[in-house]
Amino acid sequence: MQRRPLISTLSSRLISGLFLLSLCCSTAGAEKAAPSAPVRVGSVKGGHVHPALCRAANGDLLAVYNENGGGGKELLLSRSTDGGKTWTASQPIPVIKDCSIYPGSLTTFRSGEIVLHWSCYRIEGPRRWRVPQFCTSRDHGETWSPVTEIPLDDYSNYTCLRHPILELDNDRWVCPFYDRTVIYDRKTNSVTPFGDGRNHGMVPLVRTATGTIISGAPQSEAPVPVGKPGNMVYGLRSTDQGQTWQALNNLPYFGVAGYDLNVLKSGDVVLTSILYGVGRDDEWAYELTLSHDEGKTWDTANSVIIYNPVRPIKGRGWPRTVQIDDQTLGTLFYDLDAKQPDGPGVFFVRTPLTALRSDKH
């Protein structure tokens, strides 16, 4: 019998959460105990909007997204200087040119440098492929370096990523592309295999304070393109820099938009997951869950639903979470439902960490 993942269907917890979330968000002072109401970051049209999120070293939050995906010509950046309560009007990243864009990710390094990653669609006759590119900022996203292409001999239509890169050191980054998981060396502008060489797929990879690496890989090695599920592990864990891995068997169904993993200042790991409808592929809600033991177990008794429009979320959403401060998490996502007020948009929700912890944590 195949092991059931942590969360894979529209459970009774989701149904009760519909009422509780709407009640809490409309109560005065609710942010002390429950997620905030969603704040619109910007309006979009459709397609691969796929937002990315990071917290800059000065505390600013940066949100980057496509207004009109499926090959948009620019990535838009919006900034919040008050922890996600308000956002500036979005502006294009000026260094990105001559690119039909598939959005990627934002990563803030230990030094404070920020890396913005994306891929460019390329077409030549019947051949289709994507070229990964990045630029960096040393002034909290105010200005950006010239674009750098990550060099590969065999780009494919799946050479793209949607999660932050994993910083091994200032010049070596693990890039979890869909079709390969590699180390990019910025000094030599070269690529080498990561760990034991397996492909984790387009999944989150995070490293805890003790050096443990957690991979969101749903399978022991990701097939490209995705085929019939096999060798399910529901997450992997390594204590030797990726040379060997142990199955977690406790992460949820990955789905098209996957999920997000982040290591908090406390050492806890937060999982941002998607709740699906029973017997359907529709995404109905987003949920946050903490692990207090580096991903070995998850505190599902204190999981919190942070967005629940009581209808399918249009466009997959691709939720991304960061820690805003010692008390607060923030999650960025998009929803293309045309009937919501002001139409399709990118949204941000603040969640107090107290909402995710019992009295003993």
Side-chain angles (χ1 to χ4, degrees):
M1 178 180 294
Q2 186 181 19
R3 183 184 178 108
R4 297 285 296 174
L6 181 151
I7 306 165
S8 62
T9 61
L10 185 61
S11 62
S12 58
R13 185 165 74 252
L14 170 57
I15 296 171
S16 61
L18 295 171
F19 173 74
L20 291 174
L21 179 62
S22 61
L23 177 63
C24 291
C25 286
S26 62
T27 303
E31 196 181 1
K32 294 180 180 179
S36 71
V39 172
R40 181 177 289 262
V41 176
S43 294
V44 296
K45 296 177 182 178
H48 296 307
V49 173
H50 298 355
L53 175 68
C54 75
R55 180 188 183 276
N58 67 349
D60 288 0
L61 299 177
L62 305 183
V64 171
Y65 57 93
N66 243 342
E67 181 183 29
N68 191 19
K73 300 300 181 183
E74 58 188 14
L75 283 176
L76 303 179
L77 184 148
S78 184
R79 180 185 302 270
S80 175
T81 59
D82 58 7
K85 296 175 183 176
T86 61
W87 294 82
T88 63
S90 60
Q91 297 293 328
I93 304 288
V95 298
I96 302 175
K97 300 175 182 177
D98 303 319
C99 181
S100 180
I101 297 168
Y102 180 77
S105 65
L106 283 165
T107 310
T108 303
F109 284 172
R110 292 184 290 271
S111 66
E113 183 180 21
I114 296 172
V115 179
L116 170 63
H117 186 102
W118 67 95
S119 289
C120 286
Y121 291 99
R122 297 285 188 253
I123 300 175
E124 187 176 276
R127 185 184 171 211
R128 302 287 189 274
W129 72 100
R130 296 184 228 190
V131 177
Q133 300 182 341
F134 70 88
C135 60
T136 63
S137 175
R138 298 180 184 272
D139 56 9
H140 318 300
E142 296 290 347
T143 62
W144 297 89
S145 71
V147 172
T148 297
E149 254 181 35
I150 294 182
L152 294 168
D153 295 329
D154 56 343
Y155 297 112
S156 80
N157 203 30
Y158 307 99
T159 311
C160 54
L161 59 74
R162 281 289 303 121
H163 295 85
I165 56 182
L166 174 61
E167 179 189 14
L168 298 180
D169 55 49
N170 188 51
D171 292 308
R172 293 191 310 133
W173 318 334
V174 181
C175 299
F177 296 120
Y178 184 4
D179 62 356
R180 71 199 80 191
T181 306
V182 297
I183 296 174
Y184 171 70
D185 189 312
R186 175 162 54 171
K187 281 186 177 179
T188 61
N189 193 36
S190 62
V191 170
T192 55
F194 167 60
D196 61 2
R198 77 178 66 202
N199 179 28
H200 293 253
M202 195 163 58
V203 300
L205 286 168
V206 297
R207 183 172 55 184
T208 69
T210 65
T212 295
I213 297 176
I214 302 172
S215 166
Q219 298 173 254
S220 59
E221 184 158 356
V224 181
V226 171
K228 184 178 180 181
N231 301 314
M232 303 303 294
V233 292
Y234 297 110
L236 293 167
R237 190 173 183 273
S238 175
T239 57
D240 58 7
Q241 298 298 303
Q243 297 301 318
T244 61
W245 297 87
Q246 299 76 48
L248 286 176
N249 286 314
N250 63 13
L251 290 179
Y253 171 64
F254 194 74
V256 174
Y259 39 70
D260 197 23
L261 291 168
N262 298 88
V263 179
L264 306 183
K265 294 178 183 178
S266 65
D268 289 345
V269 180
V270 61
L271 166 70
T272 308
S273 56
I274 297 169
L275 301 184
Y276 293 86
V278 177
R280 305 174 60 174
D281 194 31
D282 291 333
E283 298 171 0
W284 284 81
Y286 304 138
E287 184 173 58
L288 300 182
T289 307
L290 291 181
S291 171
H292 308 295
D293 54 11
E294 299 187 323
K296 294 178 182 177
T297 62
W298 297 90
D299 187 10
T300 57
N302 291 293
S303 296
V304 173
I305 295 171
I306 61 168
Y307 181 62
N308 215 327
V310 202
R311 55 163 172 78
I313 300 166
K314 302 298 184 182
R316 304 292 182 183
W318 291 88
R320 293 289 176 263
T321 297
V322 298
Q323 184 167 9
I324 299 173
D325 53 40
D326 290 342
Q327 293 81 39
T328 320
L329 301 177
T331 304
L332 183 74
F333 59 90
Y334 74 102
D335 189 338
L336 299 182
D337 188 83
K339 296 181 180 179
Q340 63 188 322
D342 299 320
V346 175
F347 301 93
F348 189 80
V349 170
R350 291 167 48 92
T351 303
L353 274 165
T354 52
L356 287 151
R357 290 181 171 139
S358 63
D359 292 339
K360 63 183 179 181
H361 290 295

